Amino acid sequence: MSPQFVDFNADGQADIVAGIFDGSPHLARGTEKGFEQPTSILDREGARIVLNAFWNFDAKKWDSTKRCDPAGPAAEKDGHITSAVAMDIDGDDDPDLLLGDHKSGRIWVRMNEGKKGEPAFATRNTALLVDGKPTDVPGTVATLRLVDWNGDGLMDLAVGSMGDAYGAGEGGGVYLFLNAGDAKNARFGTMQTLLAASPKGASGATRPDAGIYMDFADVDNDGDLDMAVGGYSIWTPPAKTLSAEETAQLAALKKELEKSVKAYAELNAGATKATQGLEGDAAEAKREEHYKAHEEEYAKLGKERTRVSAEIAKLEPGTQRSSAVWLYEQRTPARKSTPPLP
């Protein structure tokens, strides 16, 4: 999620840094023949860089740890990395890491204590402070982007938020932290809103509502940055007025769907029962055995649910969710440099 092209190891080749849902930042090294397979970025002691929640590849399950919490009082809530960008925060010519928290609006920093071409990351995270306080991005962090928004030669930080990706709760937006530091030390100022959090409730796919990803370019060549935003649009089409015949048809379809859902749940209950008392590979093998034994039933039920749901949607349109990319053209005056904070 939120990949970034950057020469991470100072070898003259572009690499890819990205946070993914397993809870840690990854690096795909660039070579003359292309990119290598991504691997976890490790700290100076060879441990994975995480917040709290992460996928444990050895135990094959979700796990949690406090080993990366800041020194001193424990973090107030568990975190889960899904986005990361490399940035030289302290001007020592090597990449540090900014880590976006999928569980909260926090952005964390993992300092690079090595040297150019030889990264050695600290063993603990530190909170990115804005106005002396930890960041609090509305809707939790979905993606991070570095961009020189105001043209002063310093990289600013843009953040896309997740928002409620499935329900009717407030959606995501795009926020900006201008870098008011200097070439030696990045210092981010008060959060600004580039795209307000979505209130949802639209009757059409009018904007990105959740899972916000964005990038920037001067699309219309007018000297300022425009913004492309990808995400899920969530809307509910206007209700239809049904005839008596259609009302009866809808009721029958709903009963059919309820029956199918119940049958599917019973199949899944069988998988749960089959794996009771088992863990790890043994549980996974037994679960796979159950699915194979009932493969035709699962396929039949899945196909039937899809058909019935589509028929219901024709009569009673429900909440729709689709992904798209929107272009937001900047109409404000050309960029102006912002002087550093005192």
Side-chain angles (χ1 to χ4, degrees):
M1 300 170 72
S2 65
Q4 174 201 25
F5 289 104
V6 59
D7 186 1
F8 190 77
N9 54 358
D11 64 353
Q13 297 284 344
D15 310 303
I16 299 175
V17 169
I20 65 174
F21 206 73
D22 74 356
S24 57
H26 289 250
L27 172 68
R29 296 182 184 276
T31 71
E32 292 181 355
K33 297 181 179 180
F35 292 102
E36 297 178 353
Q37 288 295 314
T39 57
S40 295
I41 299 175
L42 307 179
D43 67 21
R44 69 186 182 210
E45 295 182 357
R48 281 171 66 188
I49 293 174
V50 299
L51 295 182
N52 302 112
F54 67 99
W55 178 255
N56 189 322
F57 290 101
D58 295 326
K60 295 183 179 179
K61 65 176 184 178
W62 283 103
D63 209 339
S64 185
T65 181
K66 295 290 186 181
R67 69 175 174 80
C68 299
D69 282 0
E76 73 275 20
K77 59 182 73 176
D78 281 350
H80 176 192
I81 297 171
T82 59
S83 54
V85 291
M87 178 183 184
D88 184 7
I89 295 173
D90 53 1
D92 62 354
D93 207 24
D94 59 32
D96 309 296
L97 289 171
L98 293 174
L99 309 171
D101 187 356
H102 180 67
K103 284 192 171 185
S104 75
R106 297 284 186 261
I107 300 168
W108 299 90
V109 180
R110 186 63 72 100
M111 297 303 299
N112 187 348
E113 299 171 344
K115 57 185 179 181
K116 187 175 182 178
E118 298 179 20
F121 289 97
T123 57
R124 293 180 181 271
N125 304 306
T126 56
L128 179 67
L129 300 181
V130 174
D131 296 332
K133 299 177 181 178
T135 52
D136 190 11
V137 177
T140 80
V141 178
T143 189
L144 303 173
R145 281 284 183 266
L146 299 177
V147 57
D148 184 4
W149 177 258
N150 55 4
D152 64 354
L154 300 176
M155 298 307 291
D156 308 304
L157 177 63
V159 184
S161 63
M162 180 59 64
D164 184 349
Y166 294 95
E170 187 175 68
V174 180
Y175 304 95
L176 176 71
F177 299 91
L178 289 177
N179 185 349
D182 54 35
K184 290 295 183 181
N185 288 286
R187 190 153 52 100
F188 295 104
T190 304
M191 184 179 75
Q192 302 178 31
T193 300
L194 296 184
L195 178 65
S198 170
K200 298 186 183 170
S203 58
T206 58
R207 60 156 286 167
D209 294 306
I212 305 295
Y213 287 73
M214 68 286 159
D215 228 322
F216 304 88
D218 185 2
V219 175
D220 51 7
N221 198 32
D222 65 351
D224 57 29
L225 291 175
D226 308 300
M227 181 170 67
V229 182
Y232 294 111
S233 188
I234 303 170
W235 78 99
T236 304
K240 296 179 62 176
T241 301
L242 303 180
S243 66
E245 181 182 352
E246 288 174 325
T247 300
Q249 182 184 1
L250 178 61
L253 286 167
K254 286 185 175 180
K255 286 185 178 180
E256 196 174 345
L257 180 61
E258 183 180 348
K259 182 179 177 181
S260 177
V261 169
K262 183 178 179 181
Y264 202 89
E266 288 174 353
L267 271 180
N268 283 336
T272 300
K273 184 176 181 180
T275 58
Q276 281 183 347
L278 302 177
E279 294 182 357
D281 291 342
E284 187 62 30
K286 182 61 71 174
R287 190 177 294 109
E288 186 66 24
E289 180 183 319
H290 172 85
Y291 288 142
K292 283 190 175 182
H294 298 277
E295 188 172 0
E296 290 186 8
E297 294 172 76
Y298 274 111
K300 182 179 178 181
L301 284 172
K303 186 176 181 180
E304 187 64 12
R305 287 174 65 182
T306 300
R307 181 191 68 79
V308 174
S309 296
E311 291 297 320
I312 290 175
K314 293 177 183 178
L315 298 170
E316 187 181 68
T319 299
Q320 308 292 310
R321 190 179 95 140
S322 60
S323 56
V325 178
W326 285 258
L327 176 64
Y328 290 85
E329 182 184 352
Q330 187 174 176
R331 298 291 180 85
T332 54
R335 296 181 293 173
K336 296 179 180 179
S337 297
T338 301
L341 291 175

